[in-house]
Amino acid sequence: MTSQSTINCIITGAGGFVGQALASALLEDPLVSKLTLTDVVEPSSPNRKGQSKVEVRCVKADLTSLETCQTLFTPDLNLIYILHGIMSGQAEANFELGLKVNLDSTRQILDLLRRTNPGVKVIYPSSTAVYGPPATPTTKITEGDTPVPGTSYGAQKHICETLLDDYSRRGFLDGRSLRLPTVTVRPGKPTGAASSFASGIFREPLNGEKAILPVSKDLEVWICSPRTVVKNLILARDIPKEKFPNTRIVNLPGITVTVNEMLEALKAVGGDEALKRVEEQRDEATEKIVLSWPTRFDVSRAKQLGFADDGPLERTLQEYLEDYGAKKQ
Amino acid sequence: MTSQSTINCIITGAGGFVGQALASALLEDPLVSKLTLTDVVEPSSPNRKGQSKVEVRCVKADLTSLETCQTLFTPDLNLIYILHGIMSGQAEANFELGLKVNLDSTRQILDLLRRTNPGVKVIYPSSTAVYGPPATPTTKITEGDTPVPGTSYGAQKHICETLLDDYSRRGFLDGRSLRLPTVTVRPGKPTGAASSFASGIFREPLNGEKAILPVSKDLEVWICSPRTVVKNLILARDIPKEKFPNTRIVNLPGITVTVNEMLEALKAVGGDEALKRVEEQRDEATEKIVLSWPTRFDVSRAKQLGFADDGPLERTLQEYLEDYGAKKQ
Ligand SMILES: NC(=O)c1ccc[n+]([C@@H]2O[C@H](COP(=O)([O-])OP(=O)(O)OC[C@H]3O[C@@H](n4cnc5c(N)ncnc54)[C@H](O)[C@@H]3O)[C@@H](O)[C@H]2O)c1
Ligand SMILES: NC(=O)c1ccc[n+]([C@@H]2O[C@H](COP(=O)([O-])OP(=O)(O)OC[C@H]3O[C@@H](n4cnc5c(N)ncnc54)[C@H](O)[C@@H]3O)[C@@H](O)[C@H]2O)c1
């Protein structure tokens, strides 16, 4: 531990996809001295790559409990990532659970922190799901466009951004709300999310398995690679708060791709063999949800703040194979 | 009571300015059979003008208490006006109180209603204070522009709109969130609000008293008369929900006037004598807040939905004298 290692960080939802990827990166960060990983499912500490001397603590805890939060969010923490949550499909199917976890437990943590750790840096991943369909499919969305959430998940995310903005304006906390694109390629099993295919049509074929494509090949999506998202979650920590004059909310960079372009990238990396494993099987319900999401963004604000652009799809696929391929998840 | 009198309505914050004006109008509404007026300060029932047979009940109650809300929001109610709240200046000065009343007690009522009165019509006055300053002073704000609240009051209003929108999308409630302009002329005493002068420079001179003008005469404000606001709060009840496809949020009509125009209207109604009672005494703090509010709106959405336009300022002043002048408030 060098003398600069002063960051004592907690990640909630650390057992999840983004949480694990972020933890992995923070383990190699010379500025970090302590890392608490917490999740309602026992989180594991990712393998260390380098000479990491970060002190890691894994805590299984349900953050809907106030007592649990009071124990976890100690005044010595100086960097908070609030990543736990109930994803869009499930929050739509189980409204009470989504409200309790996505809104109430996040609010509870913010209210606790403003008392015990006033001014602490809080990084919160919001989502482009705060937006409803754009005026026209080619309209590029900016932070100036109003969120009209089409799901309870999107509404809950937007409410938390609004709270964190107000708490930051008042100096209670030092928040940053980053609206992430759909993070692709996600390792592991297909999820219930309507966007699940955006990882599945890469992941399964590259693992030698069949994948279902439920939407038209002309359909567009707004995505970002896990490495770029993690990079930006860390950059958010280092951007001075003075750079956010009115709002801490930023639409993060991503790329707009059609399903056709995704399939081309799959072919380039996995060959014809991989491509043949994708089977078209249109599902109107899924297509309807995906079509309601905006897919084009003008991310000048993020670029001005210094956030990183996402790479081309083929690079993302190579990275996927490097980071997750061996594990054959 | 005719056979059409089927509305059993509750107004919260009914002791306040808008609540009293709305109650007064609903007392003359042949569709209304029962009216509950509730406020943390004992609300009084306005004088009846006509043959009103509405059954009125006045209840003093603090709506931050869950038990109190459970007693008040009975399943027989079929129209809910949530008008209680802590206004912008006070919510900025006393953050905990604003959060508790503006956010938590409103949320508590919505959550109670979706269980006991599923699908019930809920009319919620939001505010143009949800917006921060516009891109340029001449930009006309529409519902497509994103709220970036500059006060906790604005943030709390925007969070409640977002919740009510989601509850309405899911069919839990039938909400309508109306963003009111500054309602002018407000009777009674000056308030702590930065916008207080917008009523004071009419009210005090017309009552034979001196008024302080704390801002430049070139400054613009976005205002609406009490009668138009009440008319629109009632119209909101009668617009079919199918007319609100994506969102229940509407920027209500108002008028953009400069202070100079306000002074001209004062002179037209109250003569030179009244005008002379206005004393310029610039206050930079007040001016800064008022300058941060957008003053120009494109209210096409409200007009399409059938909401009423506001009249000219002179008519508003005449109405003020008719409605409140005799009381010399
Ligand atoms: N992955 C994406 O494409 C994407 C896009 C936009 C935003 N986000 C946001 O980023 C964050 C992380 O996303 P992810 O893909 O890693 O999600 P994930 O579902 O993989 O991880 C979320 C984690 O939260 C945990 N959790 C749920 N309820 C909890 C509770 N009561 N207490 C403690 N932990 C609880 C879950 O166990 C899970 O491990 C989420 O807030 C998500 O909304 C993700
Ligand atoms: N007047 C305006 O210019 C304007 C503009 C935009 C929006 N609005 C909104 O319209 C509504 C009515 O405005 P108004 O001008 O009549 O405000 P007001 O301050 O005159 O009335 C609000 C009432 O709420 C009551 N109240 C406060 N805390 C309470 C509690 N815990 N339990 C029960 N009652 C409580 C107060 O006693 C008061 O009578 C408010 O929600 C306000 O935010 C008003």
Side-chain angles (χ1 to χ4, degrees), chain B residues 181-182 184-185 202 221-232 252-257 261-262 265 299 303 307-320:
Chain B
T182 295
T184 300
V185 183
F202 296 125
V221 285
W222 173 246
I223 57 175
C224 189
S225 69
R227 281 202 200 171
T228 304
V229 163
V230 165
K231 192 181 198 175
N232 283 330
L252 280 196
I255 58 173
T256 306
V257 291
E261 287 164 341
M262 295 168 91
V299 294
K303 297 305 301 295
F307 285 104
D309 261 331
D310 196 26
L313 207 42
E314 287 181 30
R315 196 182 81 190
T316 299
L317 296 192
Q318 296 292 359
E319 288 172 359
Y320 167 73

Side-chain angles (χ1 to χ4, degrees), chain B residues 5 27 46 80 83 90 97 120 142 155 207 260-261 274 283 289 325-326:
Chain B
S5 309
L27 279 180
I80 321 284
L83 264 55
Q90 204 188 347
L97 179 69
V120 76
T142 73
N207 280 353
N260 262 323
E261 287 164 341
D283 178 65
I289 299 179

Side-chain angles (χ1 to χ4, degrees), chain B residues 16-18 39-40 61-63 83-85 125-126 153 157 181 183 186:
Chain B
F17 162 39
V18 178
D39 201 295
V40 71
D62 183 344
L63 297 177
L83 264 55
H84 74 290
S126 183
Y153 170 80
K157 285 283 177 190
V183 190
R186 182 188 179 102

Side-chain angles (χ1 to χ4, degrees), chain B residues 190-207:
Chain B
T191 67
S195 61
S196 183
F197 77 89
S199 284
I201 60 169
F202 296 125
R203 188 184 52 221
E204 272 65 275
L206 291 174
N207 280 353

